[in-house]
Amino acid sequence: MLFKIAVDCIIFTYDQQAHQLQVLLIRRENAPAQGEWALPGGFVDQLEDFAVTAARKLRQETGVDVSYLEQVQAYALTDPTAGQRLASVAYYALLDVAHYAPAADRTHYAQWVDLAQLPVLPFDHGQKVQDAWRRLQEAARHRPVPFHLLPRKFPLNHLQKFYEALYQVPLDNRNFRKWVKGLPYVEALAEVEQGVSHRPSQLYQFNTAAYSAYEQITQRTPY
Amino acid sequence: MLFKIAVDCIIFTYDQQAHQLQVLLIRRENAPAQGEWALPGGFVDQLEDFAVTAARKLRQETGVDVSYLEQVQAYALTDPTAGQRLASVAYYALLDVAHYAPAADRTHYAQWVDLAQLPVLPFDHGQKVQDAWRRLQEAARHRPVPFHLLPRKFPLNHLQKFYEALYQVPLDNRNFRKWVKGLPYVEALAEVEQGVSHRPSQLYQFNTAAYSAYEQITQRTPY
DNA sequence: TAGGTTAACGTAATATATACGCTAAGTTTA
DNA sequence: TAAACTTAGCGTATATATTACGTTAACCTA
């Protein structure tokens, strides 16, 4: 039994204005579900790892390389409308919103949509977004996820807002600050925010080398 | 481009005598890699969810239902020897060793093998076992994994040995005991071990209802 | 200058994790 | 039958993380 295999991509970004995680949706040009908003992707048409296919599709769609790409899982389409056997592999990716925005004249075809206000998506795309989000939440406990979605230099407040959006919980700013200060890979800069209408905050940045060192000593016990 | 899709199954069990996690390997009957030890599985030949396919293959292989089945991930075979396009989806499962042991006359075809002493496996099966193990370790932090692999009634010592095998670290028996006592879903019984050549231990069992209640209040914060 | 807003520092209480001493209750062996 | 051995099981002290919340400082706007 033979299958066509599609890759579906959940591309996350973080909107600093709205303090919201967003997902890139495109309007489908072909049937089925023609004209509806759905996840970008396409059929696997090269002999290569699925991750490579996903990265290629994303580059074609956005024109830039995503900075983080992980598989969510594979899905069998149990109800294929055509006689065609279909399977799909979902990937989630991170893309700094500053690096890609749909062209103004293309907002009808590609758009960032708030995770909290997703429309109903065709096929199992809704499920895939939820699964990907869950995976992203887990990944962020072990990996430097936020730094892919924030500008290189950022105030602690922005980092906190990001976590609040990711986990959908309010965080205490004093405890959050304390926690971050304990992370050796987030380093303070001798710079402050510009052009804000309140006391400007000190800026911080991610230190890759310090992270690598830290990662190795983070071996959790079973309980 | 069309693909054949295989499911590969990593079936874990726990050997109480050896204090070792084990994986079920079968001897391949067909080429490629004919005669070598490899993961059980087979091609997807029905229009159904991959998990259903995996469960079915496992039932055929072992004659029993596994108690836990989760997808690891999908893999593209980047180097298919035949012109055939191949993809595979790996699943890991848990099976109490007491419920299934290869028949004595079939040990040449199916065998439990210690995780710590796996032979070199063909294709990417070695990688898949490692990935599955990692996933199992993660799952055990959030789900009642050990209780699928231990007898219904067990002494705390056996539970500790299981965790030591899963994470490959020694644990302090006093602290471990304290930790378990804090888990509302592991309940003490009014029974003790039989036939051991030392002081018999009190027996414990998993309480499903208590676990469900506990699970809901276990909402971890971001940090 | 007053009021609003966020930054930034701090303290106390609680919970969790880690290290390790010790006694108890069985079995085995001499 | 007593001594030696093995694992069960209890407890205490210390360090580390988490949580709650009070307070002042710095900058903006009106």
Side-chain angles (χ1 to χ4, degrees), chain B residues 102-151:
Chain B
D105 62 330
R106 291 194 71 238
T107 57
H108 195 65
Y109 302 97
Q111 216 170 29
W112 291 117
V113 179
D114 279 2
L115 254 190
Q117 305 156 30
L118 280 187
V120 174
L121 299 178
F123 316 115
D124 51 359
H125 287 192
Q127 181 65 48
K128 283 171 178 167
V129 172
Q130 290 304 319
D131 291 348
W133 188 5
R134 188 65 52 88
R135 288 291 282 272
L136 182 63
Q137 290 176 331
E138 284 306 311
R141 299 192 192 282
H142 313 298
R143 294 157 180 273
V145 163
F147 312 102
H148 291 274
L149 294 178
L150 292 176

Short mmCIF file of all heavy atoms in Angstrom, two decimals, chain B residues 102-151:
data_model
loop_
_atom_site.label_atom_id
_atom_site.label_comp_id
_atom_site.label_asym_id
_atom_site.label_seq_id
_atom_site.Cartn_x
_atom_site.Cartn_y
_atom_site.Cartn_z
N PRO B 102 8.73 -15.01 24.81
CA PRO B 102 8.82 -15.82 23.60
C PRO B 102 8.84 -17.30 23.98
O PRO B 102 9.50 -17.69 24.95
CB PRO B 102 10.16 -15.40 22.99
CG PRO B 102 10.43 -14.05 23.55
CD PRO B 102 9.84 -14.06 24.92
N ALA B 103 8.08 -18.09 23.25
CA ALA B 103 8.06 -19.53 23.53
C ALA B 103 9.49 -20.07 23.48
O ALA B 103 10.34 -19.56 22.75
CB ALA B 103 7.18 -20.24 22.51
N ALA B 104 9.73 -21.08 24.29
CA ALA B 104 11.08 -21.62 24.42
C ALA B 104 11.65 -22.04 23.06
O ALA B 104 12.83 -21.83 22.78
CB ALA B 104 11.08 -22.81 25.38
N ASP B 105 10.79 -22.58 22.21
CA ASP B 105 11.27 -23.06 20.91
C ASP B 105 11.36 -21.92 19.90
O ASP B 105 11.65 -22.14 18.73
CB ASP B 105 10.35 -24.17 20.40
CG ASP B 105 8.93 -23.64 20.20
OD1 ASP B 105 8.53 -22.72 20.93
OD2 ASP B 105 8.23 -24.15 19.30
N ARG B 106 11.05 -20.71 20.35
CA ARG B 106 11.12 -19.60 19.41
C ARG B 106 12.17 -18.57 19.81
O ARG B 106 12.23 -17.48 19.24
CB ARG B 106 9.75 -18.91 19.30
CG ARG B 106 8.69 -19.77 18.61
CD ARG B 106 7.48 -18.92 18.23
NE ARG B 106 7.78 -18.02 17.12
CZ ARG B 106 7.66 -16.69 17.17
NH1 ARG B 106 7.26 -16.12 18.27
NH2 ARG B 106 7.95 -15.95 16.12
N THR B 107 12.98 -18.90 20.79
CA THR B 107 13.94 -17.91 21.27
C THR B 107 14.95 -17.54 20.19
O THR B 107 15.67 -16.56 20.32
CB THR B 107 14.72 -18.42 22.50
OG1 THR B 107 15.36 -19.65 22.16
CG2 THR B 107 13.77 -18.65 23.65
N HIS B 108 14.96 -18.33 19.17
CA HIS B 108 15.84 -17.98 18.08
C HIS B 108 15.20 -16.92 17.17
O HIS B 108 15.86 -16.29 16.35
CB HIS B 108 16.18 -19.22 17.25
CG HIS B 108 17.35 -19.02 16.34
ND1 HIS B 108 18.63 -18.79 16.82
CD2 HIS B 108 17.45 -18.97 15.00
CE1 HIS B 108 19.46 -18.63 15.81
NE2 HIS B 108 18.77 -18.73 14.68
N TYR B 109 13.91 -16.71 17.35
CA TYR B 109 13.20 -15.78 16.47
C TYR B 109 12.75 -14.51 17.18
O TYR B 109 12.57 -13.47 16.55
CB TYR B 109 11.98 -16.48 15.87
CG TYR B 109 12.37 -17.71 15.10
CD1 TYR B 109 12.30 -18.98 15.66
CD2 TYR B 109 12.86 -17.59 13.80
CE1 TYR B 109 12.70 -20.09 14.96
CE2 TYR B 109 13.26 -18.70 13.09
CZ TYR B 109 13.18 -19.96 13.67
OH TYR B 109 13.59 -21.06 12.98
N ALA B 110 12.52 -14.64 18.48
CA ALA B 110 12.07 -13.47 19.23
C ALA B 110 12.70 -13.53 20.61
O ALA B 110 12.73 -14.58 21.24
CB ALA B 110 10.55 -13.47 19.35
N GLN B 111 13.21 -12.39 21.07
CA GLN B 111 13.94 -12.42 22.33
C GLN B 111 13.95 -11.05 23.00
O GLN B 111 14.03 -10.03 22.33
CB GLN B 111 15.38 -12.86 22.06
CG GLN B 111 15.95 -13.72 23.16
CD GLN B 111 17.27 -14.32 22.77
OE1 GLN B 111 18.02 -13.74 21.98
NE2 GLN B 111 17.57 -15.48 23.33
N TRP B 112 13.86 -11.09 24.31
CA TRP B 112 14.07 -9.86 25.07
C TRP B 112 15.57 -9.63 25.19
O TRP B 112 16.29 -10.54 25.58
CB TRP B 112 13.48 -10.00 26.48
CG TRP B 112 11.98 -10.05 26.54
CD1 TRP B 112 11.22 -11.08 26.97
CD2 TRP B 112 11.08 -8.99 26.19
NE1 TRP B 112 9.88 -10.74 26.91
CE2 TRP B 112 9.77 -9.47 26.44
CE3 TRP B 112 11.24 -7.69 25.69
CZ2 TRP B 112 8.63 -8.70 26.19
CZ3 TRP B 112 10.11 -6.93 25.45
CH2 TRP B 112 8.82 -7.43 25.70
N VAL B 113 16.00 -8.43 24.90
CA VAL B 113 17.42 -8.12 24.96
C VAL B 113 17.64 -6.90 25.87
O VAL B 113 16.93 -5.90 25.77
CB VAL B 113 17.99 -7.81 23.56
CG1 VAL B 113 19.45 -7.47 23.64
CG2 VAL B 113 17.75 -9.01 22.64
N ASP B 114 18.61 -7.02 26.75
CA ASP B 114 18.93 -5.91 27.65
C ASP B 114 19.25 -4.65 26.87
O ASP B 114 20.06 -4.67 25.94
CB ASP B 114 20.15 -6.26 28.52
CG ASP B 114 19.75 -7.13 29.70
OD1 ASP B 114 18.55 -7.47 29.81
OD2 ASP B 114 20.63 -7.46 30.50
N LEU B 115 18.66 -3.55 27.30
CA LEU B 115 18.93 -2.27 26.66
C LEU B 115 20.41 -1.93 26.71
O LEU B 115 20.95 -1.32 25.78
CB LEU B 115 18.17 -1.17 27.38
CG LEU B 115 16.94 -0.58 26.71
CD1 LEU B 115 16.49 0.65 27.48
CD2 LEU B 115 17.25 -0.20 25.28
N ALA B 116 21.02 -2.33 27.80
CA ALA B 116 22.42 -1.96 27.99
C ALA B 116 23.35 -2.76 27.08
O ALA B 116 24.50 -2.39 26.90
CB ALA B 116 22.81 -2.17 29.45
N GLN B 117 22.83 -3.83 26.52
CA GLN B 117 23.72 -4.69 25.71
C GLN B 117 23.11 -5.01 24.36
O GLN B 117 23.15 -6.15 23.90
CB GLN B 117 23.98 -6.01 26.46
CG GLN B 117 24.53 -5.81 27.84
CD GLN B 117 24.22 -7.00 28.73
OE1 GLN B 117 24.12 -8.13 28.27
NE2 GLN B 117 24.09 -6.76 30.02
N LEU B 118 22.51 -4.01 23.75
CA LEU B 118 21.91 -4.23 22.44
C LEU B 118 22.99 -4.55 21.41
O LEU B 118 24.06 -3.94 21.43
CB LEU B 118 21.17 -2.97 21.97
CG LEU B 118 19.78 -2.71 22.52
CD1 LEU B 118 19.18 -1.52 21.79
CD2 LEU B 118 18.89 -3.91 22.38
N PRO B 119 22.70 -5.46 20.52
CA PRO B 119 23.63 -5.67 19.41
C PRO B 119 23.49 -4.50 18.42
O PRO B 119 22.61 -3.66 18.57
CB PRO B 119 23.12 -6.96 18.77
CG PRO B 119 21.66 -6.99 19.08
CD PRO B 119 21.52 -6.34 20.44
N VAL B 120 24.37 -4.43 17.47
CA VAL B 120 24.22 -3.43 16.41
C VAL B 120 23.02 -3.83 15.57
O VAL B 120 22.93 -4.97 15.13
CB VAL B 120 25.50 -3.37 15.54
CG1 VAL B 120 25.27 -2.43 14.36
CG2 VAL B 120 26.68 -2.91 16.37
N LEU B 121 22.12 -2.91 15.40
CA LEU B 121 20.88 -3.22 14.69
C LEU B 121 20.92 -2.65 13.27
O LEU B 121 21.57 -1.61 13.03
CB LEU B 121 19.68 -2.65 15.44
CG LEU B 121 19.46 -3.19 16.86
CD1 LEU B 121 18.27 -2.52 17.52
CD2 LEU B 121 19.27 -4.71 16.83
N PRO B 122 20.25 -3.31 12.35
CA PRO B 122 20.27 -2.84 10.96
C PRO B 122 19.42 -1.58 10.79
O PRO B 122 18.68 -1.20 11.68
CB PRO B 122 19.67 -4.02 10.21
CG PRO B 122 18.79 -4.71 11.20
CD PRO B 122 19.47 -4.52 12.53
N PHE B 123 19.54 -1.00 9.61
CA PHE B 123 18.80 0.23 9.27
C PHE B 123 19.08 1.28 10.35
O PHE B 123 20.20 1.38 10.82
CB PHE B 123 17.28 -0.05 9.16
CG PHE B 123 16.97 -1.31 8.40
CD1 PHE B 123 16.36 -2.38 9.02
CD2 PHE B 123 17.32 -1.43 7.05
CE1 PHE B 123 16.07 -3.55 8.34
CE2 PHE B 123 17.04 -2.58 6.35
CZ PHE B 123 16.43 -3.65 7.00
N ASP B 124 18.03 2.03 10.71
CA ASP B 124 18.21 3.03 11.77
C ASP B 124 17.59 2.54 13.07
O ASP B 124 17.19 3.35 13.92
CB ASP B 124 17.59 4.36 11.33
CG ASP B 124 16.16 4.17 10.86
OD1 ASP B 124 15.67 3.02 10.86
OD2 ASP B 124 15.52 5.17 10.49
N HIS B 125 17.51 1.24 13.25
CA HIS B 125 16.82 0.72 14.42
C HIS B 125 17.51 1.07 15.73
O HIS B 125 16.86 1.27 16.74
CB HIS B 125 16.64 -0.80 14.29
CG HIS B 125 15.59 -1.18 13.29
ND1 HIS B 125 15.08 -2.44 13.16
CD2 HIS B 125 14.95 -0.43 12.35
CE1 HIS B 125 14.17 -2.46 12.19
NE2 HIS B 125 14.08 -1.27 11.68
N GLY B 126 18.84 1.14 15.68
CA GLY B 126 19.56 1.52 16.89
C GLY B 126 19.17 2.93 17.33
O GLY B 126 18.89 3.17 18.51
N GLN B 127 19.13 3.82 16.39
CA GLN B 127 18.72 5.20 16.68
C GLN B 127 17.31 5.25 17.23
O GLN B 127 17.00 5.98 18.18
CB GLN B 127 18.80 6.02 15.38
CG GLN B 127 18.41 7.49 15.55
CD GLN B 127 19.38 8.21 16.45
OE1 GLN B 127 20.58 8.09 16.28
NE2 GLN B 127 18.87 8.94 17.42
N LYS B 128 16.45 4.45 16.65
CA LYS B 128 15.06 4.45 17.08
C LYS B 128 14.92 3.98 18.52
O LYS B 128 14.12 4.53 19.28
CB LYS B 128 14.22 3.56 16.15
CG LYS B 128 13.92 4.24 14.82
CD LYS B 128 13.29 3.28 13.82
CE LYS B 128 12.95 4.02 12.52
NZ LYS B 128 12.64 3.11 11.41
N VAL B 129 15.69 2.98 18.87
CA VAL B 129 15.64 2.51 20.26
C VAL B 129 16.09 3.62 21.20
O VAL B 129 15.47 3.88 22.22
CB VAL B 129 16.51 1.25 20.46
CG1 VAL B 129 16.61 0.90 21.93
CG2 VAL B 129 15.94 0.08 19.68
N GLN B 130 17.16 4.29 20.83
CA GLN B 130 17.64 5.38 21.67
C GLN B 130 16.59 6.48 21.80
O GLN B 130 16.33 6.98 22.89
CB GLN B 130 18.94 5.98 21.09
CG GLN B 130 20.13 5.04 21.19
CD GLN B 130 20.42 4.58 22.61
OE1 GLN B 130 20.34 5.35 23.55
NE2 GLN B 130 20.72 3.30 22.77
N ASP B 131 15.99 6.85 20.68
CA ASP B 131 14.96 7.90 20.71
C ASP B 131 13.78 7.47 21.59
O ASP B 131 13.23 8.26 22.35
CB ASP B 131 14.47 8.20 19.29
CG ASP B 131 15.53 8.89 18.45
OD1 ASP B 131 16.54 9.33 19.02
OD2 ASP B 131 15.35 8.99 17.22
N ALA B 132 13.40 6.21 21.44
CA ALA B 132 12.26 5.71 22.21
C ALA B 132 12.58 5.70 23.70
O ALA B 132 11.74 6.05 24.53
CB ALA B 132 11.89 4.31 21.74
N TRP B 133 13.79 5.30 24.02
CA TRP B 133 14.20 5.26 25.43
C TRP B 133 14.13 6.68 26.02
O TRP B 133 13.61 6.88 27.13
CB TRP B 133 15.61 4.67 25.53
CG TRP B 133 16.08 4.39 26.92
CD1 TRP B 133 15.35 4.51 28.08
CD2 TRP B 133 17.37 3.93 27.32
NE1 TRP B 133 16.12 4.14 29.15
CE2 TRP B 133 17.35 3.79 28.73
CE3 TRP B 133 18.54 3.63 26.63
CZ2 TRP B 133 18.47 3.36 29.44
CZ3 TRP B 133 19.64 3.19 27.36
CH2 TRP B 133 19.60 3.06 28.74
N ARG B 134 14.66 7.62 25.27
CA ARG B 134 14.60 9.00 25.73
C ARG B 134 13.15 9.43 25.99
O ARG B 134 12.83 10.05 27.02
CB ARG B 134 15.25 9.90 24.66
CG ARG B 134 15.45 11.33 25.05
CD ARG B 134 16.45 11.50 26.18
NE ARG B 134 17.71 10.82 25.94
CZ ARG B 134 18.75 11.35 25.30
NH1 ARG B 134 18.68 12.59 24.86
NH2 ARG B 134 19.85 10.66 25.11
N ARG B 135 12.29 9.06 25.07
CA ARG B 135 10.89 9.43 25.22
C ARG B 135 10.28 8.76 26.43
O ARG B 135 9.46 9.36 27.15
CB ARG B 135 10.10 9.03 23.96
CG ARG B 135 10.42 9.91 22.77
CD ARG B 135 9.90 11.33 22.97
NE ARG B 135 8.48 11.39 22.73
CZ ARG B 135 7.95 11.59 21.55
NH1 ARG B 135 8.71 11.81 20.50
NH2 ARG B 135 6.64 11.62 21.41
N LEU B 136 10.66 7.53 26.65
CA LEU B 136 10.14 6.80 27.80
C LEU B 136 10.58 7.48 29.10
O LEU B 136 9.80 7.64 30.04
CB LEU B 136 10.63 5.35 27.77
CG LEU B 136 10.11 4.45 28.90
CD1 LEU B 136 8.60 4.31 28.84
CD2 LEU B 136 10.78 3.08 28.84
N GLN B 137 11.84 7.91 29.12
CA GLN B 137 12.34 8.60 30.30
C GLN B 137 11.54 9.87 30.58
O GLN B 137 11.19 10.17 31.72
CB GLN B 137 13.82 8.96 30.12
CG GLN B 137 14.74 7.74 30.16
CD GLN B 137 16.18 8.10 29.90
OE1 GLN B 137 16.48 9.07 29.20
NE2 GLN B 137 17.10 7.32 30.45
N GLU B 138 11.26 10.60 29.53
CA GLU B 138 10.47 11.83 29.69
C GLU B 138 9.05 11.50 30.14
O GLU B 138 8.49 12.15 31.02
CB GLU B 138 10.44 12.63 28.39
CG GLU B 138 11.73 13.38 28.09
CD GLU B 138 12.14 14.26 29.25
OE1 GLU B 138 11.31 15.03 29.76
OE2 GLU B 138 13.32 14.17 29.67
N ALA B 139 8.46 10.49 29.49
CA ALA B 139 7.08 10.14 29.81
C ALA B 139 6.95 9.75 31.28
O ALA B 139 5.94 10.05 31.93
CB ALA B 139 6.62 9.00 28.92
N ALA B 140 7.97 9.10 31.80
CA ALA B 140 7.90 8.60 33.18
C ALA B 140 7.90 9.73 34.20
O ALA B 140 7.61 9.51 35.37
CB ALA B 140 9.05 7.64 33.45
N ARG B 141 8.24 10.94 33.76
CA ARG B 141 8.18 12.07 34.68
C ARG B 141 6.76 12.58 34.85
O ARG B 141 6.45 13.28 35.81
CB ARG B 141 9.05 13.23 34.18
CG ARG B 141 10.52 12.88 34.06
CD ARG B 141 11.37 14.13 33.84
NE ARG B 141 12.72 13.81 33.44
CZ ARG B 141 13.67 13.39 34.29
NH1 ARG B 141 13.40 13.27 35.56
NH2 ARG B 141 14.87 13.12 33.83
N HIS B 142 5.92 12.28 33.87
CA HIS B 142 4.55 12.82 33.92
C HIS B 142 3.48 11.76 33.99
O HIS B 142 2.34 12.06 34.27
CB HIS B 142 4.28 13.66 32.66
CG HIS B 142 5.35 14.61 32.32
ND1 HIS B 142 5.71 15.62 33.16
CD2 HIS B 142 6.16 14.71 31.24
CE1 HIS B 142 6.70 16.31 32.60
NE2 HIS B 142 6.99 15.77 31.45
N ARG B 143 3.84 10.53 33.67
CA ARG B 143 2.83 9.49 33.60
C ARG B 143 3.23 8.28 34.42
O ARG B 143 4.40 8.09 34.72
CB ARG B 143 2.65 9.03 32.13
CG ARG B 143 2.08 10.08 31.24
CD ARG B 143 2.48 9.76 29.82
NE ARG B 143 1.98 10.73 28.88
CZ ARG B 143 0.78 10.67 28.33
NH1 ARG B 143 -0.03 9.68 28.62
NH2 ARG B 143 0.39 11.61 27.48
N PRO B 144 2.25 7.44 34.73
CA PRO B 144 2.51 6.29 35.59
C PRO B 144 3.14 5.13 34.83
O PRO B 144 2.59 4.03 34.77
CB PRO B 144 1.12 5.92 36.10
CG PRO B 144 0.20 6.34 35.01
CD PRO B 144 0.82 7.56 34.38
N VAL B 145 4.28 5.38 34.24
CA VAL B 145 4.94 4.37 33.42
C VAL B 145 5.30 3.08 34.16
O VAL B 145 5.00 1.99 33.69
CB VAL B 145 6.20 4.97 32.76
CG1 VAL B 145 7.14 3.89 32.24
CG2 VAL B 145 5.80 5.90 31.61
N PRO B 146 5.90 3.18 35.37
CA PRO B 146 6.42 1.95 35.97
C PRO B 146 5.34 0.91 36.21
O PRO B 146 5.62 -0.29 36.18
CB PRO B 146 6.98 2.42 37.32
CG PRO B 146 6.97 3.89 37.30
CD PRO B 146 6.17 4.37 36.16
N PHE B 147 4.12 1.37 36.42
CA PHE B 147 3.06 0.44 36.82
C PHE B 147 2.59 -0.44 35.67
O PHE B 147 1.89 -1.41 35.87
CB PHE B 147 1.92 1.24 37.45
CG PHE B 147 2.44 2.21 38.47
CD1 PHE B 147 2.57 3.56 38.17
CD2 PHE B 147 2.89 1.75 39.70
CE1 PHE B 147 3.10 4.44 39.09
CE2 PHE B 147 3.42 2.62 40.63
CZ PHE B 147 3.52 3.96 40.33
N HIS B 148 3.02 -0.07 34.47
CA HIS B 148 2.75 -0.95 33.33
C HIS B 148 3.74 -2.10 33.27
O HIS B 148 3.51 -3.09 32.59
CB HIS B 148 2.81 -0.16 32.02
CG HIS B 148 1.71 0.82 31.86
ND1 HIS B 148 0.48 0.49 31.34
CD2 HIS B 148 1.63 2.13 32.16
CE1 HIS B 148 -0.30 1.56 31.32
NE2 HIS B 148 0.38 2.57 31.81
N LEU B 149 4.85 -1.91 33.93
CA LEU B 149 5.94 -2.87 33.78
C LEU B 149 6.22 -3.70 35.03
O LEU B 149 7.02 -4.61 35.01
CB LEU B 149 7.21 -2.14 33.35
CG LEU B 149 7.14 -1.51 31.96
CD1 LEU B 149 8.42 -0.76 31.66
CD2 LEU B 149 6.89 -2.57 30.91
N LEU B 150 5.55 -3.34 36.12
CA LEU B 150 5.73 -4.09 37.35
C LEU B 150 4.48 -4.91 37.61
O LEU B 150 3.40 -4.58 37.11
CB LEU B 150 5.97 -3.12 38.52
CG LEU B 150 7.27 -2.34 38.52
CD1 LEU B 150 7.31 -1.36 39.68
CD2 LEU B 150 8.47 -3.28 38.60
N PRO B 151 4.59 -5.96 38.41
CA PRO B 151 3.39 -6.69 38.83
C PRO B 151 2.44 -5.75 39.56
O PRO B 151 2.85 -4.68 40.03
CB PRO B 151 3.94 -7.76 39.79
CG PRO B 151 5.40 -7.85 39.50
CD PRO B 151 5.82 -6.52 38.96
#
